[in-house]
Amino acid sequence: MNIWGQIWPKAVYLVCNYSPKGNWWGHAPYKPGRPCSACPPSFGGGCRENLCYRGM
């Protein structure tokens, strides 16, 4: 992976999917609380490794 002009052969690209979108100064990109306590209904209550999960 090319990171600012340097090649990092063992780099991992990690993406966080925060919803709703937005990273605003003074606001956290998450809600404090119990893991998976605010998963959307479309996920059917699925929780995997403390993250909302929608199984196929």
Side-chain angles (χ1 to χ4, degrees):
M1 185 179 296
N2 186 327
I3 309 293
W4 297 295
Q6 296 181 2
I7 301 300
W8 293 14
K10 296 183 180 181
V12 175
Y13 190 73
L14 177 67
V15 176
C16 295
N17 183 13
Y18 294 112
S19 180
K21 64 182 178 178
N23 289 323
W24 306 103
W25 291 105
H27 297 277
Y30 54 84
K31 292 180 183 178
R34 203 176 83 251
C36 300
S37 62
C39 295
S42 62
F43 280 64
C47 186
R48 180 185 278 180
E49 297 179 15
N50 294 329
L51 298 172
C52 297
Y53 174 77
R54 178 175 33 201
M56 294 292 165

